[in-house]
Amino acid sequence: MHKPYNIVFYFSDQQRADTCGCYGQELDITPNLDKLAEEGTLFEHAFTAQPVCGPCRALFQTGRYPTETGCFTNAKMLPVNVKTLANYMEGAGYETAYVGKWHLASEGEAEKVPTIDFQTKAVPPRYRGGYTGFWRAADVLEFTSDGYGGYIFDENCNKIDFQGYRADFITDQALEFLDGYKGKKPFFLTISQIEPHHQNNAHHYQGPDGSKEKYKNFTPPKDLASLPGGDWKEEYPDYLGACRSCDENLGRLIAKLKEKNLYENTVIIYTSDHGSHFRTRNRDEHTYGYDDYKRSCHESAIHVPLVISGGSFCQKGKRVKEIVSTASIPKTLVHLAGIDIGNHMIGERLDKVASGDIPPERRNEVFVQISESRVGRCVRNERYKYSVVAPGLSGITEAASDLYIDDFLYDLEKDPYELTNLINDESYREVKMYMRTRLLEHIKEAECSEPEIRDR
């Protein structure tokens, strides 16, 4: 019988898939991830189910949609009575460790001071989502630090100050865990980097010193170059520098695993919570809340990298064409730990998708919930994307609606950069109605509701 795999769940914050060489980036940004993809499995079409930091993290920790847990916006506390990924992993005999940004311990309204506020304080054990072991984190890391210094807290609520580049320091903490690992149990290590997320108080991205010069000759993604406005011309070099730092630290992590003779028995999952549209989207009349860089159904915000290596994912560079959701990561993780979760978590087992063990009834599409910028829902298949919005409802205060209207329809085969909204194009009426039916089925399954959807 094979001994249980160690598992590393490493995810960045706000990283577009096209920042990575293995997804087409021309500059040398992700050599370590590219090598990992050559050894393992790359999912070409991976999409987040919720392009906002807190809600996506709630999904990662529970395997449930944010509307089910109540964590549909930022500044929502993960309910203490929800069984979490950490609960399952520790119950399966795993030693757990969590490093980096948590974003699930404070309660209030997004963009306001929380009523229960641990944003810049130590997160008490009760609000750590079941992680009882090694803990080096801040609830809202961008509030306790910037790219070049700040503080986090350890498992005993002691403050740890740091200087130097933040992604390096976060990785230092993960390496400290591995250096102290005794091997008595398999481990589940989560590394939640905040890079390349923009620094809120500085109002720009913060790559390592020299990024602006080093990456000044970048080729802009075509969706950004084709759209008016946005701040990508100024910000993209630092953004790429931050992505490069995430990758360099992935390399440090892999080197440590090899040094400790742990690499061969460790599964590594690399992804991001969502992408970035660099203020080019959500400029329309249906923005009923708040936005800066995400909170959109567009590819720039929802298409993320997803590479898994180790165990059954060692498929020597296999590139999976099927559309998958990162909502499937929790179910995949607990399966790696030997747990048959059944339907207690959403999504599917990514190892089955990677191996081609796909049921004939599987739909090659993903469902996305949009909050904060609007109350929105989206379905994307291999050719079309259809999105709806709740008219007049604030995406900051409302989780769902009984009524939606058409928002977007894109023909991704003809319009991959989503420049032409076909929602009122009569020649696409049949397509729209089909996609509307599919979206309603997703909403019914995910939210146990049957809203009305009307033409715009």
Side-chain angles (χ1 to χ4, degrees):
M1 182 178 179
H2 186 277
K3 67 178 182 178
Y5 291 109
N6 302 309
I7 303 169
V8 174
F9 182 25
Y10 186 114
F11 61 96
S12 57
D13 191 326
Q14 209 159 287
Q15 184 177 9
R16 294 167 59 114
D18 58 16
T19 59
C20 306
C22 49
Y23 285 89
Q25 173 59 234
E26 296 175 355
L27 297 176
D28 187 27
I29 305 298
T30 58
N32 294 295
L33 183 64
D34 299 344
K35 185 176 180 182
L36 199 69
E38 290 173 2
E39 297 176 3
T41 303
L42 180 147
F43 293 83
E44 292 187 350
H45 306 291
F47 299 90
T48 183
Q50 226 291 7
V52 181
C53 299
C56 184
R57 282 164 174 75
L59 195 161
F60 281 164
Q61 297 304 321
T62 63
R64 298 186 184 187
Y65 283 109
T67 47
E68 183 179 355
T69 60
C71 301
F72 63 94
T73 66
N74 286 328
K76 296 295 182 184
M77 180 185 293
L78 192 67
V80 295
N81 61 346
V82 173
K83 193 166 185 179
T84 65
L85 188 56
N87 295 146
Y88 283 110
M89 301 302 281
E90 292 193 4
Y94 273 71
E95 179 178 352
T96 61
Y98 193 97
V99 176
K101 176 176 173 177
W102 179 238
H103 217 171
L104 294 171
S106 300
E107 179 65 37
E109 184 178 315
E111 303 306 313
K112 293 185 179 180
V113 177
T115 52
I116 301 174
D117 189 1
F118 295 107
Q119 291 185 131
T120 59
K121 303 173 186 175
V123 176
R126 173 176 171 81
Y127 300 124
R128 295 178 190 169
Y131 292 91
T132 65
F134 189 94
W135 175 269
R136 301 294 161 85
D139 188 32
V140 186
L141 187 55
E142 58 266 46
F143 289 1
T144 69
S145 63
D146 63 18
Y148 305 98
Y151 61 91
I152 62 169
F153 299 92
D154 70 11
E155 56 270 14
N156 298 312
C157 298
N158 296 315
K159 185 180 178 183
I160 305 174
D161 294 300
F162 73 92
Q163 293 181 332
Y165 198 63
R166 180 168 50 195
D168 298 337
F169 170 75
I170 293 302
T171 306
D172 289 343
Q173 306 308 296
L175 301 187
E176 182 180 329
F177 167 75
L178 292 174
D179 279 332
Y181 174 62
K182 304 299 184 185
K184 294 180 180 179
K185 297 179 179 180
F187 67 79
F188 172 51
L189 167 62
T190 298
I191 303 169
S192 172
Q193 296 279 16
I194 189 173
E195 268 61 47
H197 191 286
H198 65 288
Q199 183 59 33
N200 298 56
N201 58 355
H203 303 292
H204 69 81
Y205 290 93
Q206 293 185 327
D209 290 337
S211 294
K212 283 193 183 299
E213 180 66 23
K214 188 174 183 179
Y215 300 113
K216 66 180 180 180
N217 294 322
F218 70 93
T219 300
K222 291 184 179 180
D223 65 298
L224 301 182
S226 302
L227 291 164
D231 59 7
W232 57 269
K233 291 180 182 178
E234 303 80 21
E235 298 297 331
Y236 210 73
D238 268 306
Y239 181 74
L240 290 177
C243 291
R244 172 71 189 215
S245 179
C246 285
D247 187 79
E248 289 174 351
N249 282 293
L250 173 65
R252 293 175 64 208
L253 174 73
I254 291 171
K256 179 63 70 172
L257 290 169
K258 290 180 176 178
E259 174 193 323
K260 296 291 182 179
N261 294 316
L262 297 168
Y263 183 73
E264 296 302 322
N265 198 54
T266 299
V267 174
I268 300 174
I269 298 177
Y270 186 101
T271 192
S272 187
D273 56 352
H274 53 75
S276 175
H277 60 65
F278 287 87
R279 303 181 188 270
T280 59
R281 300 294 189 176
N282 291 341
R283 299 159 65 88
D284 58 274
E285 71 276 14
H286 290 154
T287 301
Y288 297 114
Y290 168 82
D291 189 41
D292 43 29
Y293 291 108
K294 53 246 186 188
R295 304 174 176 92
S296 162
C297 70
H298 297 90
E299 301 288 279
S300 52
I302 65 173
H303 188 200
V304 294
L306 178 58
V307 174
I308 310 179
S309 183
S312 63
F313 291 96
C314 280
Q315 298 198 27
K316 298 181 180 180
K318 181 169 185 178
R319 300 180 70 93
V320 177
K321 303 291 186 183
E322 282 78 13
I323 294 171
V324 299
S325 172
T326 56
S328 295
I329 289 175
K331 178 175 281 190
T332 303
L333 285 169
V334 296
H335 169 72
L336 288 168
I339 304 166
D340 182 3
I341 200 70
N343 293 321
H344 293 289
M345 287 183 172
I346 60 176
E348 58 191 343
R349 279 176 42 191
L350 294 172
D351 57 307
K352 285 194 170 186
V353 180
S355 67
D357 184 11
I358 300 172
E361 67 274 13
R362 180 187 188 272
R363 300 272 191 171
N364 197 31
E365 59 192 26
V366 288
F367 169 63
V368 183
Q369 295 179 333
I370 305 295
S371 69
E372 297 197 1
S373 71
R374 64 196 72 204
V375 181
R377 300 294 184 264
C378 165
V379 61
R380 184 209 192 276
N381 63 22
E382 58 269 23
R383 178 164 180 178
Y384 300 106
K385 179 184 292 176
Y386 173 68
S387 185
V388 299
V389 60
L393 286 190
S394 169
I396 294 174
T397 60
E398 304 299 324
S401 178
D402 293 329
L403 171 66
Y404 294 94
I405 60 173
D406 294 332
D407 203 355
F408 300 106
L409 176 66
Y410 294 111
D411 184 337
L412 300 172
E413 184 178 288
K414 296 181 179 179
D415 179 26
Y417 308 118
E418 300 168 299
L419 303 176
T420 304
N421 185 4
L422 301 169
I423 204 69
N424 292 320
D425 189 323
E426 281 301 313
S427 66
Y428 280 84
R429 176 78 184 177
E430 186 176 341
V431 170
K432 183 179 80 170
M433 297 311 294
Y434 168 76
M435 296 296 285
R436 181 184 290 181
T437 298
R438 292 299 308 134
L439 181 59
L440 284 167
E441 289 183 17
H442 279 287
I443 294 173
K444 182 177 181 179
E445 180 182 357
E447 304 174 24
C448 299
S449 67
E450 299 185 56
E452 179 185 0
I453 298 179
R454 296 177 184 171
D455 290 351
R456 183 188 292 188

